[in-house]
Amino acid sequence: MSVTDAICAEISATTGQAFSLDAETQVGGGCINASARFRGRCGREFFVKRNAADKLDMFEAEAEGLQALAGARAIRVPAVVCVGKVGTEAFIVMEHIEFGRGDAGSQQRLGKELAALHRHTASRYGWHRDNTIGATPQINTQTSGWVEFLRDQRLGYQLQRAETKGAKAGLLKKGRRLLDGLDYYFEAYRPEASLLHGDLWSGNYAFDSENAPIIFDPAVYFGDREFDMAMTELFGGFQPSFYMAYERAWPLDSGYVRRKGLYKLYHILNHFNLFGGAYADQAESMLDELLHCLP
Ligand code: ADP
């Protein structure tokens, strides 16, 4: 049996309705996996991502992340159908959503619904399991202190990986100085542990055919909601009406402007660890700016 046939059999078993494939169309736009739309003879459609069998854990974490986001009932996320492994491949199957263009109110709705998602909080930072950010492991050991979590499991972890990827001594030294001074940024601010998407760049949101926002491909954990907001700013693609609606629903702390560089740095260090090259220079100039703010 081919991998495609095995995935269709799994869809049939999970949904309780026989699914026989009519057409498989490749979908571009992803960074990590091979994605396709499966259309059945019955007219039902599914979105399927495939990767090597050792990525099963990554897909299981993605499925749990999507389910956690769905459970908050704040923003639409694709419903998960099944996750599995066949031969040399792992796969995740979810509801296929037809994307639309969004209308005049869609960005505003995205901002409002993201704030509603962030209202879902936990007593500790982290999550019940690790997941991935891009293809990099993301450690989510549950912790009661945000500074400790950010230092050890976010910035410190990426810096350790950067060392193994050949980052220059200067960058690593500046990184260590920042970790030592991290408390300064949180003297008057203790964030709530909000349910985060975790990888909220413009390639991970869309609007459905009714113009409602959808978020997908998450790296879920409970943390400072400023982390999601900083990510939206990092590569652009979110409109002013998104930010206005978010602020109206739940204003950000005035210290966000100082702290957002910390959160952007996490993602730039991750980009260095994944892709190398000029991201090292970008990380170093971000570190210079952050260190400059320290007393
Ligand atoms: P990767 O894990 O490889 O980064 P994504 O989850 O980002 O892949 O998905 C790749 C692309 O497929 C997205 O950019 C989006 O355009 C589209 N997509 C993602 N989820 C769905 C879905 N449930 N239905 C339809 N299209 C989707």
Side-chain angles (χ1 to χ4, degrees), residues 133 198-203 226-238 242-243 256 260-272 275 279 282-283 286:
I133 179 76
D199 193 10
L200 195 56
W201 70 291
S202 61
E226 292 181 354
F227 225 130
D228 267 353
M229 296 310 283
M231 180 66 172
T232 66
E233 287 187 37
L234 186 56
F235 301 113
F238 293 77
F242 160 80
Y243 294 101
Y256 169 64
K260 64 185 178 184
L262 299 170
Y263 300 140
K264 290 181 184 177
L265 177 64
Y266 172 70
H267 293 291
I268 294 302
L269 285 171
N270 187 40
H271 274 62
F272 169 74
F275 312 117
Y279 289 111
Q282 193 178 350
M286 290 171 105

Side-chain angles (χ1 to χ4, degrees), residues 27-35 47 49 59 62 78 94-99 203-204 216-217:
V27 177
C31 300
I32 312 283
N33 306 294
S35 302
F47 180 74
K49 296 207 281 190
F59 285 147
E62 178 171 350
M94 60 189 90
E95 164 195 17
H96 180 272
I97 299 178
E98 204 62 57
F99 291 173
N204 284 346
F216 44 86
D217 201 18

Side-chain angles (χ1 to χ4, degrees), residues 167-236:
K168 292 203 191 100
L171 186 152
L172 298 169
K173 200 169 148 204
K174 286 174 187 176
R176 280 191 289 272
R177 271 181 53 210
L178 179 69
L179 296 188
D180 289 342
L182 217 49
D183 283 312
Y184 165 76
Y185 287 93
F186 296 91
E187 276 169 356
Y189 177 69
R190 188 179 187 281
E192 300 244 24
S194 291
L195 183 58
L196 304 184
H197 176 282
D199 193 10
L200 195 56
W201 70 291
S202 61
N204 284 346
Y205 85 81
F207 302 112
D208 67 16
S209 51
E210 314 265 87
N211 303 315
I214 321 155
I215 52 174
F216 44 86
D217 201 18
V220 161
Y221 62 101
F222 287 90
D224 185 357
R225 63 199 177 101
E226 292 181 354
F227 225 130
D228 267 353
M229 296 310 283
M231 180 66 172
T232 66
E233 287 187 37
L234 186 56
F235 301 113

Side-chain angles (χ1 to χ4, degrees), residues 122-130 139-145 148-149 153 221-222:
S123 56
R124 287 184 298 169
Y125 306 102
W127 204 33
H128 66 276
R129 63 169 298 158
D130 295 340
I139 313 301
N140 295 319
T141 309
Q142 289 168 324
T143 310
S144 50
E148 182 192 344
F149 183 86
Q153 301 189 52
Y221 62 101
F222 287 90

Side-chain angles (χ1 to χ4, degrees), residues 112-176:
K112 190 172 161 206
E113 293 186 357
L114 183 66
L117 176 72
H118 289 163
R119 292 276 186 195
H120 287 259
T121 56
S123 56
R124 287 184 298 169
Y125 306 102
W127 204 33
H128 66 276
R129 63 169 298 158
D130 295 340
N131 48 19
T132 49
I133 179 76
T136 307
Q138 178 163 265
I139 313 301
N140 295 319
T141 309
Q142 289 168 324
T143 310
S144 50
W146 176 246
V147 178
E148 182 192 344
F149 183 86
L150 178 63
R151 180 187 293 131
D152 300 341
Q153 301 189 52
R154 290 293 178 267
L155 295 174
Y157 181 75
Q158 291 286 352
L159 282 164
Q160 273 167 27
R161 290 186 78 90
E163 187 165 8
T164 66
K165 301 269 176 184
K168 292 203 191 100
L171 186 152
L172 298 169
K173 200 169 148 204
K174 286 174 187 176
R176 280 191 289 272

